[in-house]
Amino acid sequence: MKYGVMRPGHVQIRVLDMADALKHYCDLMGLIETGRDDQGRVYLKAWSEVDKYSVVLREADAAGVDFIGFKVVSEEMLDLLQGRLVEYGVEVNEVAANDLQDCGRRIRFVVPTGHTFELFATKEQTGKWGISNVNPEAWPRDLKGMGVVRFDHCLLYGPDVPATAKLFQQVLGFDMAEQVIAPDEDKTLIAAFLSCGMKAHDIAFIESPESGQFHHSSYYLETWEDVLRAADLISMTDTPIDIGPTRHGLTNGRTIYFFDPSGNRTEVFANGNYHYPDHEPITWTADQLGKAIFYHDRVLNERFLTVTT
Amino acid sequence: MKYGVMRPGHVQIRVLDMADALKHYCDLMGLIETGRDDQGRVYLKAWSEVDKYSVVLREADAAGVDFIGFKVVSEEMLDLLQGRLVEYGVEVNEVAANDLQDCGRRIRFVVPTGHTFELFATKEQTGKWGISNVNPEAWPRDLKGMGVVRFDHCLLYGPDVPATAKLFQQVLGFDMAEQVIAPDEDKTLIAAFLSCGMKAHDIAFIESPESGQFHHSSYYLETWEDVLRAADLISMTDTPIDIGPTRHGLTNGRTIYFFDPSGNRTEVFANGNYHYPDHEPITWTADQLGKAIFYHDRVLNERFLTVTT
Amino acid sequence: MKYGVMRPGHVQIRVLDMADALKHYCDLMGLIETGRDDQGRVYLKAWSEVDKYSVVLREADAAGVDFIGFKVVSEEMLDLLQGRLVEYGVEVNEVAANDLQDCGRRIRFVVPTGHTFELFATKEQTGKWGISNVNPEAWPRDLKGMGVVRFDHCLLYGPDVPATAKLFQQVLGFDMAEQVIAPDEDKTLIAAFLSCGMKAHDIAFIESPESGQFHHSSYYLETWEDVLRAADLISMTDTPIDIGPTRHGLTNGRTIYFFDPSGNRTEVFANGNYHYPDHEPITWTADQLGKAIFYHDRVLNERFLTVTT
Amino acid sequence: MKYGVMRPGHVQIRVLDMADALKHYCDLMGLIETGRDDQGRVYLKAWSEVDKYSVVLREADAAGVDFIGFKVVSEEMLDLLQGRLVEYGVEVNEVAANDLQDCGRRIRFVVPTGHTFELFATKEQTGKWGISNVNPEAWPRDLKGMGVVRFDHCLLYGPDVPATAKLFQQVLGFDMAEQVIAPDEDKTLIAAFLSCGMKAHDIAFIESPESGQFHHSSYYLETWEDVLRAADLISMTDTPIDIGPTRHGLTNGRTIYFFDPSGNRTEVFANGNYHYPDHEPITWTADQLGKAIFYHDRVLNERFLTVTT
C-alpha cells in the first residue's frame, strides 16, 4: 500500500438479465443485496466486507466488465494518486460523488489492456453483514448458498500487459507478486498478478490481442471444504461449470470456476500464497502455463480462453 | 455379511515393470511392502489393514487385474459358500494354501463379466502397520506419500452385469447398494455397486462388451483435504491424472483418478454413502450417467472409458 | 450382523421441556421432526436415515434414556433373536406394534448395567430427507444448524459391563471392537465398545456403580470442518459445552460434547475407526484412560463423569 | 504499512536446553535450522519465508523472549522510523549489523509493557525452503511434524498496554485491528491486537502488572485439518498441551496452544480475520473475555494466565 491503494473496492459487471443474475450472485454465491439505483443497477456485498457494496450489476446487451474500482486510504491519497497518474501521462476523468450509490468521487482511467479502472477513497460503511463489530460471532448464520467471504480480485485479458503492469507498479504502488514470462530473450511478461497488499493478487492480467476482455471476478471462501460445497451447489443448481475443484499453480489457490447466466465467469477460492514487498515475484515460464493455471490437470482446458467483453 | 463375506481381501494387479510400479503404489500412494515370493510377486498393505497384505503386484506383459479375493469370516463359511456356488452352477477351483504367501486355500470362480474372483478365510494377520493394537496412536507417523488407509474396492467393466450382480446377491449375500438402469422398459441394469457390509461398494461393475476389463482399484483416504494432498502429489510426481479432485454422484465419494506407470487406473477417495441391508438401492438413470459418475462436471470425460484388460 | 442386528434404530430420550428440547435437537443439531403421538412424544430423524425416525423425545420429570432399540433385518431374525435371549435366561417382553408410531412389535429386555434395550424389525421407511432415491443430489439444501447425518450410537454407564458385553456378543452377535481393561490380573473389562456392523461402536458401556445411567447420544457428521461448525454453533446459541473439538483415542473419532437443556449430553463426531469381525479388539489400558477418551488433553475433564439417569 | 513496517521478522526465544528445544521447534513444529553462531544461538525458519530465519533460539537460565524484530521495507524507511521514535521520546539503540547472523543493523527500543523491540531492513534472503521460486511446486515434500508455514506473531503480557499500543499506532503506523476494553467509563484498553498489514495481528498485548512477560509465539498453518494434525502430534510426542483445538473469538483463528520443553507457550493456527486500514477495530468487552479468547469454551482456562518472563 505504498501510495495508499488498499484493495479492489468494487467491480461493475454487465448482465443480460438482472433477475437471473441475482439468482447467481445472491442465491447461489451468497452475496447480499444492499441497494438499487434509478439506473436499475443492483449493489451487492459479501458478508465480511465493511463497505456498503463491492459488486455492482448492470443490465446490458452484452456481458463483461464495465470498470473496477480500488479503494484508497484517504481523499488526500486520492489526490496524490490522481497527480501521479496525470504526471505519468494517463488521461483521468473524475466521476462525481454518488454516481455510484453512497460512493465518493472516483478517478477513472483506462489502462493499455483496454480496461477501465477507478480509484476512490470514500464509500458508506455499513459494517460486516449479520454480525456485530462488538463481541462478534464467528460468522453470520443466515448466509445463502456458498456464503462467499469477500470480493477478492478480477482476472482480465488484453493487449500490452507489460505496460499495464508497469503502470500499476510505478504509479499506483502495486507489486508484481507472481508472473508468467515468455520463452523469448526478453522474458516478455505475458501474465501479471499484481498485489497492493499481502494477497497474491488484487488484479491480474493475461496477454491477449483483443482489448478489454473479462476473464472472471473472484470471491474468497475460507476452506477447501467450502470449495467442495460450492462445487456441489453448482451441480444442484445446474450452473455451468468451467473447471474444478482444483488448485492453481500461480497463487496456490484452491479453486473452482463457473459461469453466471450471462456467460461471465465466476471464481470462488480459498487459501493461496501471501506476498510482502520484499518478495521476488514468483515466476512461471510459459512452457509450464498449463501447470501454472491448473496445477492438477497441467493443461489448459479449452474453455479457459473464453471471455466476456 | 449374510453369508460371511466380509470385504475385498486382495487384488492381484499386473504391472509392466515392478520397480516403476512400487514407486507408484508405495512411494506415491503409501502402501507398504510386506513380502515377495519366488514368482517375483510383491505383496503390499495399507496401514490400517490387519491382514498381511491386500494388494499383490505381478510383473506381466499387459496391465490389468488377475483376480480379486474376498475374505470370509471362517473356513466353515468358506465351505458353505463353495457349496452355494456349485449349487448355483458356477464352476469353482480351489487354489492351494500358500499359493499366495501366508494365505489359506482360495475358492476361485469366474463371473459373467469375465473376471476371476476368489473367496478365502485365512491370511496371516500382522496388525495395523506402524501403530500398536494396545493404546494405539491415532495414525502412524512414517507413512509415505498419500498414506492411503485401506484397499477399498475395484470397478470392473464387462458383459452381462445383470447376471453377475445376481450371482453376487443371491449366492454370496451381497446387496445392491447403488445402481444405474437403462431407459428401456425392463430398466436393465447397466452398472452395479455391490456391498457386502456397510460400504457403498465392495465391488462395482459397468456393462461393456469386452470381457474382463479393469477400470480401477480404489483406496480409502480419511478426508477431502487428503484428496487435495493426493492431487498435489500427483502433480509433483508427474503422474498422469484422469480426473479430480471431484465428487461422485453414485456413492457420493470425494475422489481423484490417476494412472500407474502401466496404465492401470488408481482411485483414492474419502467419505461417501453408507449402506444397510434394508436400504433400497440408490438408483441413477442412464440419462444422468455423467452426473452419476462425476457429480461436478456432469459429463463423462473420454478417458473414463479407457480400461486395462 | 451375525444374527441380523443391523444398527441402533432408535433411542427414547427424556427431556424436561419439549419446546426447549426441540430447539436443541432440531434447530441446533438439524434433526427433522417426523411425527408426534398422543402421549406427547416427538419423533425425529437425521437426513440420511431411511427409517421414519431414530430419536424419540419424551417429556418427563427427569432427564435420561428410556430405551434404545436395535433394528433387525427381518421378522424371522427377530423371532430367532427372541429365542436366543430367552434361552440365555434373559427376561423378554413384547411391546405391541404401533406403541411407537409406525413401528412393528418390539422385543424388550434389560441388561446387567440396568439399561432397557429393544429389538425390532419393522418401521415405516420414508427415505432420506430432502433428497430423492433416484438421481439424488449430494445432500439436502435446507438442513438446520449442524445438519447431523445420522443417529450413530449411545454411551451408557452402569454396573457389570463384562456381563452386559457378553450378552451383546454371545446372544446378539455383536463384536467387541474396542475396550478398556483394568490393571488387575484378570484384565477386567471396564469399558466396552460393541459393534454390530463396521462401525467402531453401535453401543458402548463404561463400568459405574449406579444402574441405568446415560452418558450421551451421538450423531454422525461428515468432516472435522463440520465439527468446528458445530462448535461455533454451540457458542452462538449459548449451549453448554462439555469438551471439544477434540479427538477420541478410543474409536479415533473427531468429536465435540455438549448438553441439551435437560442436561442430557450430546455428541457429534466425524471419521473414526472401522471394524471387521476378524479384527482383534483394540485395547486401551486403564492407566491410559485419559488419552483413550480425550486423545489431545490426555486427562478426563471432571464433567466426563456426569450423567443423566 | 504506512511507514514501511512489513512484518514480524524475527523473535529471539530463550530456552533452557538447546537440544530439547530443537526437538520441539524443528522435529515437532517443522521449522528448519538455517544457521548457528558463535554465541551458540540457533537460527530457524518456516518453509514459506524468504528470509534466512525468523526464530532465534538462545540457551539461557530462564525461558522467555529476548526481543522481537520487525522488518522494514528499506534502509531509508528504517532511518525515518528511527527519527520518528526519537522524536516521540523513545530511547533507541542501534545494534550493529551481523550481531544477528546475516542481518543488517537493528534499531532497538523498549516499550511501556517492558518488551524489547527492534526494526531492521536487511536480512539475507535464501528463498522459500524446499521449493523453487520458478515454477514452484505447491509445497515442499520433506517437512517435518506440523510443517508450520510461517512465524506469524507474538502475544505479550505487561503493564500499560494503552501507551504501548499508542506507540505502535502513532509512531510505527500499526492499526488497532482488534481490542478488548474494560467496563470502566474510559473504556480502558486491556488487550491490543495490532496489525502492520492485512493480518488480524502482527503483535498483541494483554494488560498485566508484571513487565516483559511472554505469552506465546505463533506460527501459521494452512487449515483446520492441519490444526488437528498438530494436536495429534502433540499427543504422540507427549508434549504438554495448553488448550485446543479450538477457535479464538478475537481474530477468529483456528488454534491450539502447547508448551516447549522450557515452558514457553507455542501456538499454531489457521484462518482468521483480515484487516484493512479503514476497518474500525473489532471490539470485545472485558465481560466477554472468555469467549473473546476461547470462543468454544467461553471461559479462560487457568493456564492461560501463565507466562514465561
Side-chain angles (χ1 to χ4, degrees):
Chain A
M1 304 182 193
K2 192 153 53 172
Y3 303 119
V5 181
M6 290 191 292
R7 65 174 172 270
H10 53 242
V11 57
Q12 183 166 308
I13 298 170
R14 290 191 301 274
V15 297
L16 304 182
D17 179 277
M18 187 59 75
D20 287 349
L22 291 174
K23 277 183 207 148
H24 180 85
Y25 291 96
C26 296
D27 296 349
L28 176 58
M29 289 172 52
L31 292 171
I32 301 124
E33 183 179 330
T34 57
R36 299 200 174 207
D37 67 19
D38 50 18
Q39 295 178 43
R41 292 185 296 189
V42 181
Y43 297 76
L44 311 177
K45 74 180 291 177
W47 74 265
S48 81
E49 297 169 347
V50 300
D51 289 338
K52 185 175 174 183
Y53 55 86
S54 58
V55 175
V56 183
L57 301 180
R58 180 172 74 87
E59 208 172 72
D61 291 339
V65 61
D66 282 335
F67 54 80
I68 295 166
F70 280 86
K71 192 172 188 191
V72 174
V73 287
S74 65
E75 292 290 339
E76 292 69 34
M77 275 302 203
L78 185 58
D79 285 336
L80 180 140
L81 285 159
Q82 179 169 9
R84 292 182 63 84
L85 282 163
V86 170
E87 189 182 2
Y88 194 75
V90 179
E91 187 180 346
V92 304
N93 294 292
E94 182 164 324
V95 184
N98 293 314
D99 170 83
L100 278 178
Q101 206 172 69
D102 302 312
C103 183
R105 68 183 171 119
R106 292 131 59 203
I107 304 304
R108 184 178 280 187
F109 56 100
V110 178
V111 301
T113 51
H115 300 92
T116 299
F117 284 92
E118 308 176 341
L119 303 173
F120 69 98
T122 306
K123 189 184 283 177
E124 188 187 348
Q125 294 200 322
T126 52
K128 293 184 187 177
W129 183 88
I131 60 172
S132 170
N133 202 45
V134 177
N135 302 333
E137 300 296 350
W139 36 267
R141 292 189 67 178
D142 296 320
L143 293 171
K144 288 187 184 171
M146 301 174 185
V148 294
V149 173
R150 67 167 182 247
F151 165 53
D152 192 85
H153 68 269
C154 289
L155 171 59
L156 306 172
Y157 278 28
D160 209 351
V161 167
T164 303
K166 196 173 156 198
L167 188 162
F168 272 90
Q169 292 174 272
Q170 296 195 355
V171 183
L172 305 178
F174 281 60
D175 285 337
M176 182 73 77
E178 314 209 1
Q179 61 185 0
V180 182
I181 56 171
D184 57 25
E185 232 170 72
D186 296 340
K187 301 186 174 181
T188 306
L189 185 69
I190 57 177
F193 288 67
L194 295 150
S195 176
C196 58
M198 283 181 58
K199 288 159 53 185
H201 46 354
D202 286 298
I203 186 72
F205 297 95
I206 290 184
E207 186 76 28
S208 179
E210 199 179 331
S211 198
Q213 296 177 299
F214 182 41
H215 191 267
H216 70 258
S217 63
S218 179
Y219 305 84
Y220 196 68
L221 294 176
E222 283 221 80
T223 70
W224 176 233
E225 198 83 13
D226 291 336
V227 175
L228 174 63
R229 210 173 159 279
D232 291 342
L233 287 165
I234 287 166
S235 268
M236 290 176 193
T237 53
D238 284 325
T239 301
I241 193 171
D242 181 1
I243 194 168
T246 187
R247 183 195 282 279
H248 289 307
L250 277 157
T251 78
N252 245 331
R254 305 165 183 205
T255 183
I256 187 165
Y257 284 175
F258 52 108
F259 295 98
D260 81 4
S262 306
N264 294 302
R265 189 185 280 93
T266 306
E267 177 186 40
V268 293
F269 79 106
N271 298 88
N273 294 333
Y274 63 93
H275 173 80
Y276 279 110
D278 63 337
H279 286 197
E280 283 297 302
I282 294 168
T283 300
W284 286 79
T285 55
D287 59 305
Q288 293 289 312
L289 189 61
K291 190 170 178 180
I293 304 292
F294 300 124
Y295 187 69
H296 298 146
D297 282 353
R298 287 161 277 164
V299 289
L300 297 185
N301 63 345
E302 62 184 64
R303 279 185 299 248
F304 184 72
L305 299 176
T306 64
V307 291
T308 49
T309 47
Chain B
M1 303 181 195
K2 191 152 55 171
Y3 302 120
V5 181
M6 291 190 292
R7 65 173 172 269
H10 53 242
V11 58
Q12 183 165 307
I13 297 170
R14 290 190 302 272
V15 297
L16 305 181
D17 179 278
M18 186 60 73
D20 287 350
L22 291 175
K23 277 182 206 148
H24 180 85
Y25 291 96
C26 296
D27 295 350
L28 175 59
M29 290 173 51
L31 292 171
I32 301 124
E33 183 180 329
T34 57
R36 297 200 176 209
D37 68 19
D38 51 17
Q39 294 178 43
R41 293 184 295 189
V42 181
Y43 297 76
L44 311 176
K45 74 180 291 177
W47 74 266
S48 82
E49 296 168 348
V50 300
D51 289 337
K52 186 175 174 183
Y53 56 86
S54 58
V55 175
V56 183
L57 301 179
R58 180 171 74 86
E59 207 172 75
D61 291 339
V65 61
D66 282 335
F67 54 80
I68 294 166
F70 280 86
K71 192 173 187 191
V72 174
V73 287
S74 65
E75 292 290 338
E76 292 68 36
M77 273 304 204
L78 186 57
D79 286 336
L80 178 141
L81 285 158
Q82 180 169 9
R84 292 182 63 83
L85 283 163
V86 170
E87 191 183 358
Y88 194 74
V90 179
E91 187 180 346
V92 305
N93 294 292
E94 181 165 326
V95 184
N98 293 312
D99 169 82
L100 279 177
Q101 208 173 65
D102 301 315
C103 183
R105 67 184 172 117
R106 293 131 60 205
I107 304 303
R108 184 177 280 185
F109 56 100
V110 178
V111 301
T113 52
H115 300 92
T116 300
F117 284 92
E118 306 176 342
L119 303 173
F120 69 97
T122 306
K123 190 186 282 178
E124 187 187 349
Q125 293 200 322
T126 53
K128 290 184 188 175
W129 183 88
I131 61 170
S132 169
N133 202 46
V134 178
N135 301 333
E137 300 297 351
W139 35 268
R141 294 189 63 179
D142 297 320
L143 292 172
K144 288 187 185 171
M146 301 174 185
V148 294
V149 173
R150 67 167 182 249
F151 164 54
D152 192 85
H153 67 270
C154 290
L155 171 58
L156 306 173
Y157 278 28
D160 209 350
V161 167
T164 303
K166 193 173 159 198
L167 188 162
F168 272 89
Q169 292 174 272
Q170 297 196 353
V171 183
L172 305 178
F174 282 60
D175 284 337
M176 182 73 77
E178 314 208 2
Q179 62 184 359
V180 182
I181 56 170
D184 56 25
E185 230 171 74
D186 297 341
K187 302 186 174 182
T188 305
L189 185 70
I190 57 177
F193 289 67
L194 295 150
S195 176
C196 57
M198 284 179 59
K199 289 158 53 186
H201 46 356
D202 287 297
I203 187 73
F205 297 94
I206 291 184
E207 186 76 27
S208 180
E210 201 179 330
S211 197
Q213 295 177 300
F214 182 41
H215 190 268
H216 70 258
S217 63
S218 180
Y219 305 84
Y220 196 68
L221 294 174
E222 283 220 83
T223 69
W224 176 233
E225 197 83 14
D226 291 336
V227 174
L228 175 63
R229 208 172 161 279
D232 290 341
L233 287 165
I234 286 166
S235 268
M236 291 177 192
T237 54
D238 284 324
T239 301
I241 194 172
D242 181 0
I243 194 168
T246 189
R247 184 196 282 278
H248 290 307
L250 277 157
T251 78
N252 246 329
R254 305 166 182 204
T255 182
I256 188 165
Y257 284 175
F258 52 109
F259 294 98
D260 82 5
S262 307
N264 294 302
R265 190 184 281 92
T266 306
E267 177 186 40
V268 292
F269 79 105
N271 300 84
N273 294 332
Y274 62 93
H275 173 79
Y276 279 109
D278 63 336
H279 286 198
E280 283 298 302
I282 294 168
T283 299
W284 288 78
T285 55
D287 59 306
Q288 293 289 313
L289 189 61
K291 190 170 179 180
I293 304 291
F294 300 124
Y295 186 68
H296 299 145
D297 284 351
R298 288 161 276 164
V299 289
L300 296 185
N301 64 345
E302 61 184 63
R303 279 186 300 248
F304 183 73
L305 299 176
T306 64
V307 290
T308 48
T309 48
Chain C
M1 304 184 192
K2 191 152 53 172
Y3 302 120
V5 181
M6 291 191 292
R7 65 174 173 271
H10 53 242
V11 57
Q12 184 166 306
I13 298 171
R14 290 191 301 274
V15 296
L16 305 182
D17 179 277
M18 187 59 74
D20 287 350
L22 290 175
K23 278 183 207 148
H24 180 85
Y25 291 96
C26 296
D27 295 349
L28 176 58
M29 290 172 51
L31 293 171
I32 301 123
E33 184 179 329
T34 57
R36 299 201 175 206
D37 67 21
D38 49 19
Q39 296 177 43
R41 292 184 297 189
V42 181
Y43 297 77
L44 311 176
K45 73 179 292 178
W47 74 265
S48 81
E49 296 169 348
V50 300
D51 289 338
K52 185 174 175 184
Y53 56 86
S54 58
V55 175
V56 183
L57 300 179
R58 179 171 74 86
E59 206 171 74
D61 290 339
V65 60
D66 281 336
F67 54 80
I68 294 166
F70 280 86
K71 192 173 187 191
V72 174
V73 287
S74 64
E75 293 291 337
E76 292 68 34
M77 274 302 202
L78 185 58
D79 286 336
L80 179 141
L81 285 158
Q82 180 169 8
R84 291 182 63 86
L85 283 164
V86 170
E87 188 183 2
Y88 193 75
V90 179
E91 187 180 344
V92 304
N93 294 292
E94 182 165 325
V95 184
N98 293 314
D99 169 82
L100 279 178
Q101 207 172 65
D102 301 314
C103 183
R105 67 185 171 119
R106 295 131 61 205
I107 304 303
R108 183 178 279 187
F109 56 99
V110 178
V111 301
T113 52
H115 299 92
T116 299
F117 283 92
E118 306 176 342
L119 303 174
F120 69 97
T122 305
K123 190 186 282 177
E124 188 187 348
Q125 293 201 322
T126 53
K128 293 183 187 177
W129 183 88
I131 61 171
S132 169
N133 202 46
V134 177
N135 302 333
E137 300 297 350
W139 35 267
R141 293 190 66 179
D142 296 320
L143 292 171
K144 288 188 183 172
M146 301 175 184
V148 294
V149 174
R150 67 166 182 249
F151 165 52
D152 191 86
H153 67 270
C154 290
L155 170 59
L156 306 173
Y157 279 28
D160 210 350
V161 168
T164 303
K166 194 174 158 196
L167 188 161
F168 272 89
Q169 292 174 272
Q170 295 195 355
V171 183
L172 305 178
F174 282 59
D175 284 338
M176 181 74 77
E178 314 209 1
Q179 62 185 358
V180 182
I181 56 171
D184 57 25
E185 228 171 76
D186 297 341
K187 301 185 174 182
T188 305
L189 184 70
I190 57 177
F193 289 67
L194 295 150
S195 176
C196 57
M198 283 180 59
K199 289 157 53 184
H201 47 353
D202 286 297
I203 186 71
F205 296 95
I206 291 185
E207 186 76 28
S208 180
E210 201 180 330
S211 198
Q213 295 176 301
F214 182 42
H215 190 268
H216 70 257
S217 63
S218 180
Y219 305 83
Y220 196 68
L221 294 175
E222 283 221 82
T223 70
W224 176 233
E225 199 82 12
D226 291 336
V227 175
L228 175 63
R229 208 172 161 281
D232 290 342
L233 287 165
I234 286 166
S235 268
M236 291 176 192
T237 53
D238 283 325
T239 301
I241 193 171
D242 180 1
I243 195 168
T246 187
R247 183 195 282 278
H248 290 307
L250 278 157
T251 77
N252 246 330
R254 305 165 182 204
T255 182
I256 187 164
Y257 284 176
F258 52 109
F259 295 98
D260 80 5
S262 306
N264 294 302
R265 188 184 281 92
T266 306
E267 178 186 41
V268 293
F269 78 106
N271 299 86
N273 294 332
Y274 63 93
H275 173 79
Y276 279 110
D278 62 336
H279 285 197
E280 284 297 301
I282 294 170
T283 300
W284 287 79
T285 55
D287 59 305
Q288 293 290 312
L289 188 62
K291 190 170 178 179
I293 304 292
F294 300 124
Y295 186 68
H296 299 146
D297 283 351
R298 287 161 277 163
V299 288
L300 296 186
N301 64 345
E302 61 184 63
R303 280 186 297 248
F304 184 72
L305 299 176
T306 64
V307 291
T308 47
T309 50
Chain D
M1 304 183 194
K2 191 152 55 171
Y3 303 120
V5 181
M6 291 190 292
R7 65 174 172 269
H10 53 241
V11 57
Q12 183 165 307
I13 298 170
R14 291 190 302 274
V15 297
L16 305 181
D17 179 277
M18 187 59 75
D20 286 350
L22 291 175
K23 277 183 206 149
H24 181 84
Y25 290 95
C26 296
D27 295 350
L28 175 59
M29 289 172 51
L31 292 170
I32 301 124
E33 183 179 328
T34 57
R36 299 201 173 205
D37 68 20
D38 50 19
Q39 296 177 44
R41 292 185 296 190
V42 181
Y43 297 77
L44 311 177
K45 75 179 291 177
W47 74 265
S48 80
E49 297 168 347
V50 301
D51 289 337
K52 185 174 173 183
Y53 55 86
S54 58
V55 175
V56 183
L57 300 179
R58 179 172 75 85
E59 207 171 75
D61 290 339
V65 62
D66 281 335
F67 54 79
I68 294 166
F70 279 86
K71 193 172 187 190
V72 174
V73 287
S74 65
E75 293 290 337
E76 292 68 34
M77 274 302 203
L78 185 57
D79 285 337
L80 179 141
L81 286 158
Q82 180 169 9
R84 293 181 62 85
L85 282 164
V86 170
E87 190 182 0
Y88 194 75
V90 178
E91 186 180 346
V92 304
N93 294 293
E94 181 164 327
V95 184
N98 293 314
D99 169 83
L100 278 178
Q101 208 173 66
D102 302 314
C103 183
R105 66 183 172 120
R106 294 131 59 203
I107 304 303
R108 182 178 282 186
F109 56 100
V110 177
V111 301
T113 51
H115 300 93
T116 300
F117 283 92
E118 307 177 341
L119 303 173
F120 70 96
T122 306
K123 190 186 281 178
E124 187 187 348
Q125 292 200 323
T126 53
K128 291 184 187 176
W129 183 87
I131 61 170
S132 169
N133 202 45
V134 178
N135 301 333
E137 300 296 351
W139 36 268
R141 292 190 65 178
D142 296 320
L143 292 172
K144 287 187 184 173
M146 300 174 185
V148 294
V149 173
R150 67 167 182 249
F151 165 54
D152 192 86
H153 68 270
C154 290
L155 171 58
L156 307 172
Y157 278 29
D160 210 351
V161 167
T164 302
K166 195 175 157 198
L167 189 161
F168 272 89
Q169 291 174 272
Q170 296 196 354
V171 185
L172 305 178
F174 283 58
D175 285 338
M176 183 73 76
E178 314 207 2
Q179 61 185 359
V180 183
I181 57 171
D184 56 25
E185 232 171 74
D186 297 340
K187 301 186 176 183
T188 306
L189 185 69
I190 57 177
F193 289 68
L194 295 150
S195 175
C196 57
M198 284 180 59
K199 288 157 55 184
H201 46 355
D202 286 299
I203 186 72
F205 297 94
I206 291 185
E207 186 76 28
S208 179
E210 201 180 331
S211 196
Q213 295 178 300
F214 182 42
H215 190 268
H216 71 257
S217 63
S218 179
Y219 305 85
Y220 196 68
L221 295 175
E222 284 220 81
T223 69
W224 176 234
E225 198 83 12
D226 291 337
V227 175
L228 175 63
R229 209 173 160 278
D232 290 342
L233 287 165
I234 286 166
S235 268
M236 290 176 193
T237 54
D238 283 325
T239 300
I241 194 172
D242 180 1
I243 195 167
T246 188
R247 183 195 282 278
H248 290 308
L250 278 157
T251 78
N252 246 332
R254 306 166 181 204
T255 182
I256 187 165
Y257 284 177
F258 52 107
F259 295 98
D260 82 3
S262 306
N264 294 302
R265 189 185 281 91
T266 306
E267 177 185 41
V268 293
F269 78 106
N271 300 84
N273 294 333
Y274 63 94
H275 173 78
Y276 279 109
D278 63 336
H279 286 198
E280 283 298 301
I282 294 168
T283 299
W284 287 78
T285 55
D287 59 306
Q288 293 290 313
L289 189 61
K291 190 170 178 179
I293 305 290
F294 300 123
Y295 186 69
H296 298 145
D297 283 353
R298 287 162 276 162
V299 289
L300 297 185
N301 63 345
E302 61 184 67
R303 279 186 300 247
F304 183 73
L305 299 175
T306 64
V307 290
T308 49
T309 49

